[in-house]
């Protein structure tokens, strides 16, 4: 499992700068006097920092990083000069950290943070970008990234601020590992095992097997895994960090470990990307991990439906009618619209069993949301404006793209079935909206609910600000922030 780099946060020792090996990064304000760390680096390099700043004049941008290679007067292999004022946003600070993390590769890094108020956020940025999924690369496996050290005037304060952030980074990494993992490794059984291992960090974990799911009458969820040799499972994770009888927040995740489309088989080109179709469950798992590691003072339930959508002689056919746990009948027009069949049963179960204060489901649900929003924003659907805005604010605070989309009866009407209570697809127009409407049928009156269609953001082909290409971990930070904003303050 990938863990964020272990960071030591130590008190500033100006005399140690000269002999520091690896990369040294130093913060420089756009104007005004240099801070003491930069003054020391400037003196050691015989004025290089001042000359650089003079040359840049007012052209330097907030967050810009300029590197000096093999600086004279220092043992370091490079000095990364970061133009960053004291007053900067969390986003600016994290981007600087991510930029430093990317530059260092696996070199040693010493960040001279001085008394910068966003030192912990810079550290968070370094941690987030310091990720690679190398489990299946035989050559690279041996090389471990070297240490990161942060020197800060008030090391204890920075340490205390960074600890919960780095816990969240570990949750993000857990999600990225799960989402990057190929489907022959991350089977439903292996996925459940990795979740079960989170008992060691204080989560209650229960694994419901097919027999129990059948007793619970989860006919919709079970219909999806019928064609696979991997058994369908539902995993319930509980974090009880809040008041004993406070209603929990429920996080629900689509965990299709591989989506071939089933009998409505997908085309071959690009099908390999469907290893990420458990992205919703991956984010729920990473969020639960983050909450447990930072010992959140809140009650949160995570429920994931783990299934594999395969064609076979046992597979569900287009035209089949299945009965959900709620009791309504669903005509399966297209076996490739399987995510909603998984979610509807676990959403219903979550509400029956836990009477949650609010519920959020996450799923790589539709290609249509990618057509609508690309890879920049997840589609956000909600039945409650206040709850929705709370989430949108949390996502904005964490710089995770999220955009609200509409719901409405006319969309729901696209799901009317000739022979059953509902059908599982509503045609091509507004495909992400009709999927959300399908889910809303399983939200009880009075439960504030958000559906996040993360098909475009869970895994991407080019690197992002905070991650190399592949799984992003999108949503773990926003959910952790939502929990702290809404339940912990
Ligand atoms: N897992 C897919 C959605 C998806 C597409 C995720 C691309 C990530 C990238 C989902 O199960 C699916 O196949 N949806 C269909 C629905 C259609 C049959 C109504 C789709 O979007 O084409
Ligand atoms: Mn599908
Ligand atoms: Zn799918």
């Amino acid at each position: 499992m990938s863990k964020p780099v272990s960071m030591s946060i130590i008190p500033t020792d100006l005399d140690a700068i000269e002999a520091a090996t690896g990369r040294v990064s130093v913060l420089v304000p756009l104007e005004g006097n240099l801070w003491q760390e930069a003054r020391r680096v400037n003196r050691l390099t015989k004025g290089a920092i001042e000359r650089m700043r003079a040359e840049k004049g007012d052209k330097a941008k907030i967050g810009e990083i300029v590197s000096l290679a093999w600086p004279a007067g220092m043992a370091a292999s490079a000095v990364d000069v970061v133009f960053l004022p004291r007053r900067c946003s969390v986003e600016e600070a994290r981007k600087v950290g991510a930029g430093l993390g990317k530059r260092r590769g696996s070199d040693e890094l010493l960040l001279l943070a001085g008394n910068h108020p966003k030192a912990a956020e810079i550290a968070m940025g370094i941690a987030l970008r310091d990720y690679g999924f190398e489990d299946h690369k035989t050559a690279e496996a041996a090389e471990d990234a070297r240490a990161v050290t942060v020197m800060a005037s008030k090391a204890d304060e920075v340490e205390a601020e960074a600890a919960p952030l780095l816990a969240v980074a570990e949750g993000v990494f857990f999600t990225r590992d799960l989402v990057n993992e190929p489907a022959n490794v991350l089977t439903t059984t292996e996925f459940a095992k990795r979740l079960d291992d989170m008992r060691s960090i204080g989560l209650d974990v229960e694994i419901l097997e097919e027999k129990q799911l059948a007793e619970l009458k989860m006919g919709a969820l079970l219909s999806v895994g019928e064609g696979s040799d991997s058994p369908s499972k539902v995993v319930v994770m509980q974090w009880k960090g809040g008041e004993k009888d406070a209603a929990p927040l429920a996080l629900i995740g689509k965990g299709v470990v591989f989506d071939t489309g089933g009998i409505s088989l997908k085309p071959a080109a690009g099908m390999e990307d469907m290893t990420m179709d458990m992205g919703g469950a991956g984010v729920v798992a990473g969020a639960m991990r983050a909450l447990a590691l930072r010992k959140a003072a809140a009650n949160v339930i995570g429920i994931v439906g783990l299934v594999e959508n395969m064609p076979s002689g046992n597979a569900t056919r287009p035209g089949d009618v299945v009965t959900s746990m709620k009791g309504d009948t669903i005509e399966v027009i297209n076996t490739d619209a399987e995510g909603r069949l998984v979610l509807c049963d676990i959403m219903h179960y979550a509400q029956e069993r836990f009477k949650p204060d609010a519920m959020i489901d996450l799923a790589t649900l539709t290609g249509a949301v990618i057509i609508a929003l690309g890879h920049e924003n997840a589609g956000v659907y909600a039945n409650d404006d206040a709850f929705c805005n709370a989430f949108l604010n949390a996502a904005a605070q964490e710089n995770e793209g999220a955009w609200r989309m509409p719901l409405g009866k006319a969309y729901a009407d696209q799901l009317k079935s000739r022979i059953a209570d509902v059908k599982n697809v509503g045609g091509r127009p507004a495909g992400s909206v009709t999927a959300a409407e399908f889910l809303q049928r399983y939200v009880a009156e009075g439960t504030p609910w958000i559906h996040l269609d993360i098909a475009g953001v869970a895994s991407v082909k080019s690197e992002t600000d905070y991650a190399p290409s592949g799984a992003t971990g999108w949503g773990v930070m926003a959910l952790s922030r939502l929990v702290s904003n809404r339940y912990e303050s």
Side-chain angles (χ1 to χ4, degrees):
M1 195 189 72
S2 311
K3 285 225 180 201
V5 61
S6 70
M7 254 186 229
S8 14
I9 300 174
I10 60 172
T12 300
D13 174 4
L14 294 176
D15 293 330
I17 296 174
E18 184 173 2
T21 50
R23 302 185 81 95
V24 172
S25 16
V26 61
L27 307 181
V28 170
L30 278 71
E31 53 196 18
N33 294 332
L34 291 182
W35 301 317
Q36 60 170 357
E37 294 76 12
R39 280 207 304 277
R40 175 61 65 99
V41 174
N42 188 54
R43 202 178 80 208
L44 291 169
T45 58
K46 301 201 165 52
I49 307 293
E50 276 298 13
R51 278 166 52 211
M52 180 189 296
R53 200 169 64 153
E55 189 132 324
K56 282 256 158 202
D58 44 18
K59 288 195 296 291
K61 292 193 198 68
I62 292 185
E64 187 173 343
I65 305 173
V66 183
S67 299
L68 292 175
W70 312 109
M74 292 176 65
S77 58
V79 170
D80 296 316
V81 178
V82 179
F83 289 95
L84 193 70
R86 273 184 67 79
R87 285 171 64 101
C88 71
S89 66
V90 168
E91 182 183 341
E92 285 160 346
R94 285 191 189 172
K95 278 191 181 158
V96 157
L100 294 173
K102 186 181 169 190
R103 265 163 214 250
R104 87 175 186 115
S106 54
D107 277 358
E108 205 179 337
L109 176 67
L110 169 64
L111 169 67
L112 306 175
N115 59 4
H116 197 283
K118 296 282 190 320
E121 298 292 354
I122 301 174
M124 174 64 163
I126 296 173
L128 284 173
R129 188 60 182 74
D130 194 52
Y131 175 84
F133 186 65
E134 259 129 45
D135 293 7
H136 304 291
K137 296 247 192 205
T138 51
E140 268 127 272
E143 219 203 321
D144 262 345
R146 271 164 291 221
V148 173
T149 308
V150 178
M151 268 192 193
S153 318
K154 294 182 181 143
D156 292 347
E157 281 176 26
V158 175
E159 171 99 61
E161 249 183 89
L165 294 174
L166 296 176
V168 174
E170 184 169 335
V172 172
F173 280 24
F174 190 56
T175 301
R176 289 181 188 168
D177 280 357
L178 290 167
V179 172
N180 280 326
E181 200 71 272
N184 62 329
V185 176
L186 195 74
T187 57
T188 54
T189 303
E190 171 65 16
F191 199 155
K193 181 185 167 298
R194 291 191 190 185
L195 300 182
D196 199 53
D197 288 346
M198 289 207 287
R199 288 166 189 275
S200 66
I201 55 168
L203 289 169
D204 289 349
V205 184
E206 281 162 71
I207 301 174
L208 308 181
E209 304 290 350
E210 276 179 358
K211 184 162 168 284
Q212 291 155 285
L213 302 179
E215 280 161 13
L216 287 164
K217 300 197 156 57
M218 292 200 191
L221 180 142
L222 285 169
S223 77
V224 177
E226 222 70 82
S228 171
D229 287 349
S230 291
S232 299
K233 295 172 195 276
V234 168
V235 180
V236 180
M237 295 162 270
Q238 299 189 54
W239 173 251
K240 297 171 181 161
E243 304 270 329
K244 197 170 167 300
D245 37 38
L249 170 69
L251 304 177
I252 312 291
K254 167 181 172 181
V256 176
V257 295
F258 195 77
D259 181 13
T260 64
I263 298 298
S264 309
L265 194 64
K266 286 181 182 295
M271 200 200 278
E272 69 279 8
D273 291 341
M274 286 302 116
T275 56
M276 54 74 103
D277 209 23
M278 34 52 66
V283 176
V284 171
M288 296 306 291
R289 186 174 196 93
L291 295 171
L293 289 174
R294 71 170 182 77
K295 302 213 167 11
N299 296 335
V300 183
I301 309 290
I303 303 184
V304 295
L306 308 180
V307 303
E308 185 178 39
N309 189 18
M310 292 289 244
S312 93
N314 289 326
T316 299
R317 293 159 286 254
D320 283 1
V321 174
V322 300
T323 304
S324 75
M325 180 179 177
K326 183 182 153 198
D328 65 357
T329 54
I330 304 166
E331 185 186 9
V332 180
I333 298 293
N334 188 321
T335 63
D336 198 11
E338 84 296 343
R340 60 200 78 181
L341 300 175
V342 174
L343 289 170
C344 73
D345 276 343
I346 51 179
M347 285 165 61
H348 183 77
Y349 175 73
Q351 294 167 97
E352 289 268 284
R353 177 166 167 198
F354 295 106
K355 306 279 178 272
D357 164 70
M359 175 166 72
I360 302 179
D361 76 81
L362 295 101
T364 50
L365 201 61
T366 67
V369 81
I370 309 177
I371 303 304
L373 299 173
H375 301 284
E376 311 307 318
N377 286 290
V380 180
Y381 297 86
N383 65 355
D384 181 297
D385 292 346
F387 185 43
C388 185
N389 288 335
F391 178 78
L392 292 173
N393 286 335
Q397 278 177 284
E398 299 294 328
N399 196 27
E400 292 186 313
W403 195 264
R404 190 167 184 183
M405 302 279 282
L407 290 164
K409 181 172 181 302
Y411 297 113
D413 287 346
Q414 286 177 234
L415 296 167
K416 283 190 175 148
S417 163
R418 183 176 59 87
I419 63 166
D421 297 338
V422 67
K423 58 185 182 182
N424 77 331
V425 293
R428 272 173 62 82
S432 170
V433 187
T434 53
E437 282 292 353
F438 181 93
L439 297 178
Q440 192 171 18
R441 295 173 59 90
Y442 301 88
V443 179
E445 188 70 40
T447 307
W449 159 75
I450 295 172
H451 158 58
L452 299 171
D453 192 337
I454 62 169
V457 295
S459 183
V460 294
K461 300 277 180 214
S462 39
E463 65 174 337
T464 65
D465 287 336
Y466 302 118
S469 66
T472 61
W474 182 98
V476 172
M477 297 192 296
L479 290 172
S480 173
R481 177 68 55 187
L482 176 73
V483 168
S484 66
N485 290 350
R486 184 177 160 102
Y487 298 94
E488 296 181 274
S489 48

